Amino acid sequence: MLIAGFPAGAWGTNCYLVAPAAGEECVIIDPGHQAAEGVEEALRKHRLKPVAVVLTHGHIDHVASVVPVCGAHDVPAWIHPADRFMMSDPEKALGRSIGQQLMGELTVGEPDDVKELSDGARLDLAGMEFTVAHAPGHTKGSVTFRMPESPDVPSVFFSGDLLFAGSIGRTDLPGGDHAEILQSLARVCLPLDDSTVVLSGHGPQTTIGRERATNPYLRDVAAGLGAGSPAPRRGM
C-alpha cells in the first residue's frame, strides 16, 4: 500500500493520498487549505489517478481545496451530512471571529458531486476498503476512516481531528463538545489494536498503543475518569 501525506496551508493540515501501489487509482483524504498544488505534485510523482475525495470533517482547513481537486479530476467528495453545510458556510462553522478573517481569501462551495457518509459504512474505493466511524465532538459530523490490516501492513486509522499524537481535537468551536469527543474516543479508538497506525489531521504519525500508554485524554477515558480539561488547540 502507498500512503503519501503532506502538511498543507496555514494550519499544517495533513492531506493524504492512499493507493494500493504507485501507478494505480487513489483516494485523497482532507485536501485542505492550500493543498491543491501538493496534491497534484503527489499525483504526478506516484503516477496516481484519483477516484474520490473523502473528508474527516467540514472545517475549512480540511476542505478548502475540495472544489478545485474534485473539479480537476471529476471525482466525488464524501462527507458526513452534519458537516456538509461547512463547505458553503465556513464562517458559521468556525464562529464569526475566525470565519471573517478567511472569507476574503477563500472561494467556498460544494463540488459538483457530494456523497454523504454514515456510521459503519464501508467504502470500496480504488480497490481498497475504508470503514467509516462517526466520531462527533470536534464537530458534529466528524468521522474516521479505518483500513484493515493485511499480512504485510498493519491496520491504518485516519483519525482526522479526533485523536492526535499526545492530544485530541479542540472542542471550543461551534458544534464542539468535550464530553462528546471523550465518548467518541472510548467508542472508536479504545477497541482498536495497539499496532494500529494513526494518521491524524495534524501532527506526526503515532499508534494506538503509544497513545493508549501516553496520551492523557485516552488514558483517562480508558480508566473511566472524568472529562478533565479541554485539549490544547491544534489546527482549527
Side-chain angles (χ1 to χ4, degrees), residues 144-177:
T144 65
F145 302 102
R146 181 175 57 84
M147 302 182 70
E149 67 178 324
S150 62
D152 55 345
V153 180
S155 178
V156 178
F157 179 62
F158 296 94
S159 64
D161 285 7
L162 171 64
L163 178 67
F164 302 133
S167 191
I168 60 175
R170 62 189 292 183
T171 57
D172 60 329
L173 295 174
D177 186 311

Side-chain angles (χ1 to χ4, degrees), residues 94-187:
L94 299 174
R96 193 170 183 85
S97 61
I98 297 177
Q100 280 192 325
Q101 298 174 30
L102 297 172
M103 299 318 295
E105 175 191 351
L106 301 173
T107 300
V108 299
E110 292 189 357
D112 291 338
D113 188 0
V114 178
K115 301 181 184 298
E116 295 187 346
L117 299 166
S118 59
D119 186 42
R122 293 189 178 183
L123 305 181
D124 293 314
L125 300 170
M128 303 174 292
E129 180 182 286
F130 298 82
T131 300
V132 180
H134 185 210
H138 179 62
T139 67
K140 293 301 182 186
S142 289
V143 301
T144 65
F145 302 102
R146 181 175 57 84
M147 302 182 70
E149 67 178 324
S150 62
D152 55 345
V153 180
S155 178
V156 178
F157 179 62
F158 296 94
S159 64
D161 285 7
L162 171 64
L163 178 67
F164 302 133
S167 191
I168 60 175
R170 62 189 292 183
T171 57
D172 60 329
L173 295 174
D177 186 311
H178 189 66
E180 195 168 47
I181 202 172
L182 295 178
Q183 293 168 7
S184 292
L185 289 169
R187 180 176 58 87

Side-chain angles (χ1 to χ4, degrees), residues 67-81:
V67 170
V69 169
C70 288
H73 300 282
D74 192 24
V75 299
W78 293 77
I79 191 168
H80 191 277

